[in-house]
Amino acid sequence: MSRTVYVNGDYLPEAEARVSIFDRGFLMADGVYEVTSVLDGKLIDFKGHAKRLARSLAELEMTCPVSEAELLAMHRELVARNGIEHGMIYLQVTRGNPGDRSFLFPDPSLPGTVVAFTQNVPNLADAPAAKVGFKVISIPDLRWSRVDIKTVQLLYPSMGKMAAKKAGVDDSWFLDEAGAVTEGTSNNAYIVKGNRIITRQLGSDILHGITRAAVLRFAAEAQFEVEERPFTIAEAQGADEAFSTAASIFVMPVVELDGMAIGTGKPGPVAVRLREIYLDEMRKAAI
């Protein structure tokens, strides 16, 4: 059955959705996006995603053609029209169609492009991968230096996913020039030593994860010590456990890094507990 998608104020069958070939999102990757999870037909941490969207747009000197209230109504409408119980909504905002290709930003009075669609993921909260954990490899972080802006420039992360697939594992973790982990291809990265959860501090070199913020808040409330600093591959391989977080995976245990088991080589108790807490609290707060 065809999905209903959203394009600039209209709800359309996906086969009828069209965006101009002159749209700067297509020509220049001049756009930002958000992915909001849906559990039990409700939106998870929508306000956090809306706040980050506004920040990304501001950093690129873009304006959103629709208000936060209109975005919320649109998300709910897509959930209803597509019968999504568990899944995700992808939202993209670009600088729009100036009528021709140019490196210069178009007149800011021209409307941007807003599109959104759903992805049905019935086992989103009960993903089999969470029971066995991810295996990851490390690769150099060759992305542009403003990955804190959630742009649609995702070619290198896609290459990282492909490198992992070719290696027979689940994901790649990026390394900076000093050999410290920045983050995963589409997620934030953590290690656990005793009662300490260690993850890279916020900056322009990692995405300011919405799931990250919630998980660290819940971890502190559960009396874990949170240490925000870089960590190396060797430190990760010697950790008690590791995990990644993102809206699409929530809290995902990481059990192997560059062919070496982390901890017992199985999902650790801290990651498992944080996943339980996150899902429980987010379901309570869902809208």
Side-chain angles (χ1 to χ4, degrees):
M1 185 176 71
S2 174
R3 284 175 294 185
T4 294
V5 302
Y6 176 94
V7 181
N8 292 332
D10 295 324
Y11 295 94
L12 303 166
E14 60 181 284
E16 297 178 16
R18 298 287 186 273
V19 174
S20 169
I21 63 167
F22 297 112
D23 193 277
R24 286 179 59 92
F26 173 64
L27 294 178
M28 304 283 188
D30 188 2
V32 299
Y33 77 102
E34 286 290 335
V35 178
T36 302
S37 296
V38 178
L39 291 178
D40 309 314
K42 295 183 178 180
L43 303 170
I44 299 298
D45 215 343
F46 175 81
K47 281 196 169 293
H49 288 286
K51 182 178 180 180
R52 184 173 62 184
L53 175 70
R55 178 185 182 276
S56 293
L57 291 168
E59 290 294 316
L60 295 179
E61 300 178 28
M62 292 172 60
T63 57
C64 188
V66 293
S67 68
E68 181 177 329
E70 289 170 322
L71 285 176
L72 176 57
M74 176 261 282
H75 277 62
R76 285 175 163 163
E77 186 68 17
L78 285 175
V79 168
R81 290 191 183 216
N82 292 290
I84 303 296
E85 281 296 309
H86 305 286
M88 294 173 286
I89 299 179
Y90 177 93
L91 166 71
Q92 180 168 303
V93 181
T94 79
R95 209 178 299 270
N97 166 26
D100 209 342
R101 182 180 182 273
S102 172
F103 280 88
L104 297 177
F105 290 172
D107 185 329
S109 67
L110 291 174
T113 297
V114 182
V115 300
F117 58 83
T118 59
Q119 292 179 295
N120 187 38
V121 187
N123 62 350
L124 184 62
D126 302 310
K131 296 177 173 59
V132 296
F134 271 8
K135 296 179 180 180
V136 304
I137 57 172
S138 62
I139 62 174
D141 194 342
L142 301 180
R143 301 171 297 172
W144 80 314
S145 59
R146 287 303 309 274
V147 297
D148 58 306
I149 306 172
K150 197 172 177 68
T151 73
V152 297
Q153 299 180 55
L154 296 174
L155 181 57
Y156 191 68
S158 293
M159 293 172 71
K161 294 282 190 187
M162 289 305 301
K165 182 177 180 179
K166 291 174 183 177
V169 298
D170 302 288
D171 199 16
S172 296
W173 276 4
F174 294 134
L175 300 179
D176 65 17
E177 292 181 352
V181 174
T182 51
E183 59 186 345
T185 57
S186 58
N187 46 71
N188 294 119
Y190 312 73
I191 60 174
V192 179
K193 290 288 289 184
N195 196 50
R196 280 184 301 132
I197 296 170
I198 303 167
T199 190
R200 195 177 184 97
Q201 70 278 11
L202 293 179
S204 62
D205 48 5
I206 70 168
L207 183 69
H208 298 193
I210 302 305
T211 307
R212 176 191 186 275
V215 167
L216 291 184
R217 183 174 73 251
F218 297 146
E221 291 172 356
Q223 304 304 308
F224 289 102
E225 179 185 348
V226 175
E227 188 174 345
E228 295 183 71
R229 62 166 177 82
F231 60 85
T232 65
I233 291 296
E235 191 176 6
Q237 290 173 329
D240 297 331
E241 54 182 292
F243 60 92
S244 295
T245 64
S248 58
I249 57 173
F250 306 128
V251 180
M252 179 60 66
V254 172
V255 299
E256 181 184 291
L257 176 56
D258 286 339
M260 182 176 293
I262 298 175
T264 64
K266 298 180 179 179
V270 174
V272 170
R273 181 59 183 144
L274 286 176
R275 183 180 177 87
E276 292 173 346
I277 294 172
Y278 177 84
L279 287 170
D280 184 50
E281 293 300 321
M282 287 294 102
R283 277 181 157 130
K284 291 177 184 176
I287 61 175

